[in-house]
Amino acid sequence: MDAVAATRPDPAGAEPDPAGIVRFDRTERLVHWTTAVLVLVLLATGAAMYAGPISTLVGRRELVKTVHVLAGLALPVPLLVGILMPRRGGGLRADARRINRFDAEDRRWLRPRRAARPGKFNAGQKLNASFLVAAGVVLLGTGVMMRWPGLWSVDLRTGATFVHDWFAIGVALSVTGHIVLALRDPIAFAGMRRGVVPARWARRTHPQWYEEVTGHPADRLAPNPQRETGVRR
Amino acid sequence: MGRRVVLGLVGLGAIGVVTGARVQDFLERTLGPVIAKDGTGVTALLPFGRFRIYTVTGSLPSRSPDEWSMRVGGLVDTPLRLTYDDLRAMEPTSLTRDFQCVTGWRVSDVAWRGVRLADVLDRAGVAGAARAVRFTSFDGAYTESLTLAQARRRDVIVAYEMEGSPLSRAHGGPVRLYVAPMYGYKSLKWLDGIEVTDRVVPGYWEQRGYDIDAWVGRSNGRDDEAT
């Protein structure tokens, strides 16, 4: 599927393939990008129903609402399908387990003067992922309450709208930050587009993961020292 | 850790659903005055005590008070065409009530001013066969309706002021309906036609599944007994 050869953990301790290390497999990337499209549609249609200036520009309440509701109901589908796929969902499940695990390095990462050695995901990425999963559950639940109002009391619906709004603002901020960080790190961004990252990048930003995948200590000099540009932290 | 964060936040969301109405009312009371003074308008985007502007068509309808007039017809003795000045010359009525959307958002204590719908109907004279009233909007799409008894309530008004100012375009100006005891979708914006009919004709959202009788539940803490 990928033109680029992937490197797996090598017990013999050979040098990592210069072509790069697989960061996200095909399933993970498909889940990411379908979810990304749904989230952008939800944020855009949500804004059109929430922010006065946009609402008056867009109008068409029923169409906007219908698109928002359909995208919202579809939101969990890619992730659930990906997780449940017996063979192809393996990478996704493994990453979910990584995100769920919080170790001493993660706690160190969160401290102001951090000199942590993150694994495949750093503590910020883990917390953000957890927040987004929770926000997805909350937004879906409160959204259902707003879409089918007959089943709930007025006060519960008012509460649901209130919660929906705050979590949506949180997701909007998180997604904005996510995009800004992706644009600031083109290698990480390419990792989600093509699935592969250079070993050098992995060693620098996710040293524990680099060691795990390549079997090489991350602190060792690169095999090609003149290409090191002093970005190590 | 991840699981704890997820469960904690979902729990927070659930608590928010149950207590949100009260929390929102509190924030509205305490922060509302601050927000009113915020010149940047950023705080106006915070999710409490704010109207959501809904239009069912592609653009925001526009009609100045001078251009505006309203037809009152159907089963009436004298069909009328009322201008903005005609309406202003009628006996005004004011009421301050919560504005409650069926989906849940709520704005507390909104001050409205206008004329009683009953007065408009009486001016045209309702014929004996009349049972209901149908409203049209100059957005060209939205309609609403009330039974004659509902339309005659003292808290159902043809409004031209909100919060002490002439109704803005976004809020349905120059003239809209305000049906205080019912959900917001009954309070048709950009009103330009009142037709007395022999039966209730379901309105725009009612054709799309919402209840025709849209009383706000008493759990809302409101007392909207007919006066």
Side-chain angles (χ1 to χ4, degrees):
Chain A
M1 132 211 127
D2 281 303
V4 194
T7 306
R8 286 284 163 212
D10 186 350
E15 289 298 322
D17 191 320
I21 304 175
V22 171
R23 184 155 172 83
F24 299 112
D25 66 24
R26 187 190 169 98
T27 306
E28 289 181 298
R29 282 175 287 142
L30 266 171
V31 167
H32 175 270
W33 289 110
T34 44
T35 305
V37 169
L38 289 172
V39 167
L40 291 179
V41 167
L42 284 164
L43 287 174
T45 49
M49 290 188 290
Y50 180 78
I54 305 174
S55 310
T56 54
L57 216 67
V58 177
R60 296 180 182 81
R61 178 78 208 313
E62 213 210 348
L63 175 68
V64 172
K65 175 188 121 177
T66 306
V67 171
H68 190 80
V69 168
L70 291 178
L73 292 174
L75 183 65
V77 173
L79 186 60
L80 289 179
V81 169
I83 288 264
L84 294 175
M85 283 201 294
R87 248 165 40 80
R88 289 168 180 250
L92 196 56
R93 286 193 293 273
D95 280 354
R97 278 193 294 275
R98 289 175 190 274
I99 285 166
N100 192 30
R101 212 178 302 128
F102 221 74
D103 60 20
E105 287 298 333
D106 293 316
R107 276 182 283 278
R108 196 168 299 142
W109 191 93
L110 288 173
R111 281 191 215 114
R113 284 188 66 248
R114 57 186 195 225
R117 302 175 73 256
K120 185 167 181 180
F121 303 107
N122 65 42
Q125 292 169 324
K126 289 179 180 181
L127 288 176
N128 187 49
S130 304
F131 163 71
L132 288 171
V133 168
V137 171
V138 169
L139 287 165
L140 190 61
T142 51
V144 163
M145 293 179 72
M146 292 152 80
R147 172 59 186 81
W148 287 278
L151 307 169
W152 329 85
S153 79
V154 186
D155 271 359
L156 283 183
R157 272 177 277 153
T158 301
T161 303
F162 185 70
V163 169
H164 198 88
D165 292 349
W166 280 109
F167 271 87
I169 289 172
V171 170
L173 293 175
S174 161
V175 168
T176 306
H178 180 70
I179 292 172
V180 166
L181 290 176
L183 293 177
R184 272 173 31 184
D185 189 344
I187 297 177
F189 191 15
M192 189 47 93
R193 290 202 315 277
R194 290 192 285 274
V196 178
V197 290
R200 266 182 318 124
W201 180 89
R203 204 185 65 223
R204 179 165 50 82
T205 53
H206 298 277
Q208 268 199 71
W209 177 57
Y210 171 86
E211 289 173 358
E212 184 188 318
V213 173
T214 63
H216 289 277
D219 299 331
R220 233 183 53 180
L221 272 181
N224 197 357
Q226 68 269 28
R227 287 182 64 193
E228 266 297 30
T229 46
V231 269
R232 261 158 85 183
R233 279 180 284 193
Chain B
M1 178 69 183
R3 193 172 297 138
R4 259 180 289 159
V5 171
V6 171
L7 291 177
L9 284 170
V10 171
L12 194 66
I15 293 168
V17 168
V18 176
T19 63
R22 263 169 293 159
V23 174
Q24 177 192 297
D25 285 349
F26 172 76
L27 289 174
E28 221 180 315
R29 273 199 311 280
T30 50
L31 296 181
V34 182
I35 288 170
K37 292 195 187 88
D38 171 31
T40 64
V42 173
T43 48
L45 287 175
L46 289 177
F48 52 85
R50 52 186 298 281
F51 278 90
R52 322 289 155 104
I53 307 299
Y54 295 158
T55 63
V56 299
T57 54
S59 61
L60 196 62
S62 169
R63 201 164 287 186
S64 73
D66 287 343
E67 297 165 328
W68 182 87
S69 72
M70 174 173 71
R71 203 179 42 79
V72 184
L75 302 173
V76 293
D77 303 333
T78 333
L80 302 174
R81 182 163 282 282
L82 295 177
T83 66
Y84 191 73
D85 290 337
D86 292 339
L87 208 62
R88 283 279 190 173
M90 291 176 69
E91 190 196 342
T93 183
S94 299
L95 74 166
T96 300
R97 293 291 164 80
D98 297 354
F99 193 93
Q100 174 78 53
C101 176
V102 63
T103 60
W105 61 265
R106 174 195 300 176
V107 186
S108 305
D109 300 332
V110 184
W112 301 91
R113 192 173 174 81
V115 302
R116 289 203 183 97
L117 177 59
D119 292 349
V120 176
L121 294 175
D122 287 343
R123 188 160 164 169
V126 175
R131 293 289 175 271
V133 187
R134 182 168 185 267
F135 308 91
T136 53
S137 165
F138 62 79
D139 73 1
Y142 205 88
T143 58
E144 253 310 330
S145 61
L146 294 169
T147 67
L148 200 54
Q150 292 165 357
R152 285 197 174 282
R153 288 173 61 109
R154 293 166 64 88
D155 52 4
V156 176
I157 67 170
V158 175
Y160 47 69
E161 274 184 19
M162 189 182 107
E163 296 289 290
S165 309
L167 263 181
S168 66
R169 258 174 89 189
H171 287 294
V175 177
R176 75 180 291 174
L177 194 65
Y178 176 57
V179 184
M182 296 194 176
Y183 289 119
Y185 65 88
K186 278 286 177 185
S187 296
L188 172 142
K189 302 204 274 190
W190 308 295
L191 176 67
D192 78 339
I194 296 176
E195 188 193 359
V196 179
T197 56
D198 57 0
R199 64 191 174 87
V200 170
V201 184
Y204 183 88
W205 288 114
E206 290 143 25
Q207 292 165 24
R208 290 159 177 80
Y210 283 140
D211 288 347
I212 293 172
D213 285 333
W215 305 109
V216 176
R218 292 177 73 81
S219 57
N220 192 14
R222 295 166 44 144
D223 184 2
D224 292 304
E225 290 303 298
T227 42

